[in-house]
Amino acid sequence: GTVITFSLDTPSLALSAPQPVTWNNSTATPITLTVAAASSTQCTEYLRNGDFERASDWTLTTTDSTARYTSAEVHQGSRALQLGLLPSSSPGPKPALEAFSTAYQDVRLPADAQQLTLTLWVKPGTRDSNGDYQRLLLLNPRNDNLIAELWRKLENQTTWQQLSFDLMAYRGHTVRIYLEVNNDNQRPSDRTWLYVDDISLRDCRIP
């Protein structure tokens, strides 16, 4: 009978219909299906400690609301990254002043990349309605100039959500993956925070 070849993510196998089969209300001749195994995709990870299980690789800038590793809220594993001010934390000596919370890592994006995707899981929280923000930037590590603002929000979520960004436009460059939360004041009734976990930057190729 007729031989049809197509590809699936399964080992090679052959399926045969020994009897005539009905297809679209007509009688078809017996067919043999040959299923070829698909080529496996190979991915390279470019970020280090993306699950935040170690106290390394990320720069946590010392501020009035320094980012830190936490086990209070995690997407997977035992730790995540916390930025901003939690409503339960101390108001500190300067409650009326602005406070920034940042974490970043520099990474060289390969010039020959075929598919550069940045993914991360976030759980944002806030008691504010205006002025504060949670955001993700790409910066030039030589001078901290803005390359792109990938995400900016002021929102409160009770569940984790995944973000995904195509970075192919920046291949061949070194960029700073920059996470930030801004509180326009430090009063407990007007605070914003952000949990981040499982951040990944991968180049995936089909050999």
Side-chain angles (χ1 to χ4, degrees), residues 25-90:
N25 298 320
S26 63
T27 301
T29 57
I31 62 172
T32 299
L33 304 181
T34 302
V35 182
S39 300
S40 59
T41 302
Q42 297 180 354
C43 296
T44 301
E45 176 64 56
Y46 288 98
L47 283 177
R48 303 173 303 279
N49 192 27
D51 55 8
F52 304 108
E53 297 298 312
R54 306 184 309 277
S56 63
D57 300 303
W58 293 91
T59 299
L60 311 181
T61 309
T62 301
T63 66
D64 288 340
S65 57
T66 303
R68 67 186 186 92
Y69 302 105
T70 180
S71 58
E73 292 279 353
V74 299
H75 175 250
Q76 287 189 127
S78 59
R79 299 206 311 182
L81 180 69
Q82 174 195 309
L83 302 102
L85 292 169
L86 299 179
S88 59
S89 58
S90 169

Side-chain angles (χ1 to χ4, degrees), residues 109 113-120 136 138 147-151 163-171 175 177 200-204:
L109 306 180
Q114 294 182 8
Q115 180 182 338
L116 277 173
T117 306
L118 175 67
T119 59
L120 65 158
L136 169 64
L138 290 185
I147 297 175
E149 185 175 61
L150 300 178
W151 177 78
L163 307 178
S164 181
F165 306 95
D166 181 358
L167 300 191
M168 283 293 286
Y170 313 105
R171 58 183 175 175
V175 299
I177 309 296
S200 172
L201 174 55
R202 301 200 301 171
D203 174 22
C204 292

Side-chain angles (χ1 to χ4, degrees), residues 64-185:
D64 288 340
S65 57
T66 303
R68 67 186 186 92
Y69 302 105
T70 180
S71 58
E73 292 279 353
V74 299
H75 175 250
Q76 287 189 127
S78 59
R79 299 206 311 182
L81 180 69
Q82 174 195 309
L83 302 102
L85 292 169
L86 299 179
S88 59
S89 58
S90 169
K94 299 173 284 187
L97 296 185
E98 187 176 30
F100 288 89
S101 184
T102 65
Y104 64 85
Q105 184 177 145
D106 296 345
V107 58
R108 174 73 177 177
L109 306 180
D112 62 345
Q114 294 182 8
Q115 180 182 338
L116 277 173
T117 306
L118 175 67
T119 59
L120 65 158
W121 288 85
V122 298
K123 187 177 180 183
T126 188
R127 288 186 170 182
D128 194 20
S129 59
N130 184 49
D132 294 356
Y133 54 79
Q134 307 125 333
R135 66 179 182 172
L136 169 64
L137 308 176
L138 290 185
L139 301 180
N140 184 331
R142 293 179 296 177
N143 51 26
D144 278 337
N145 284 347
L146 178 66
I147 297 175
E149 185 175 61
L150 300 178
W151 177 78
R152 181 185 178 119
K153 293 288 184 179
L154 175 59
E155 62 182 15
N156 190 72
Q157 297 288 343
T158 58
T159 59
W160 288 88
Q161 55 185 293
Q162 189 179 39
L163 307 178
S164 181
F165 306 95
D166 181 358
L167 300 191
M168 283 293 286
Y170 313 105
R171 58 183 175 175
H173 298 278
T174 298
V175 299
R176 177 164 290 172
I177 309 296
Y178 192 86
L179 295 154
E180 181 181 53
V181 170
N182 170 262
N183 278 270
D184 61 3
N185 68 73

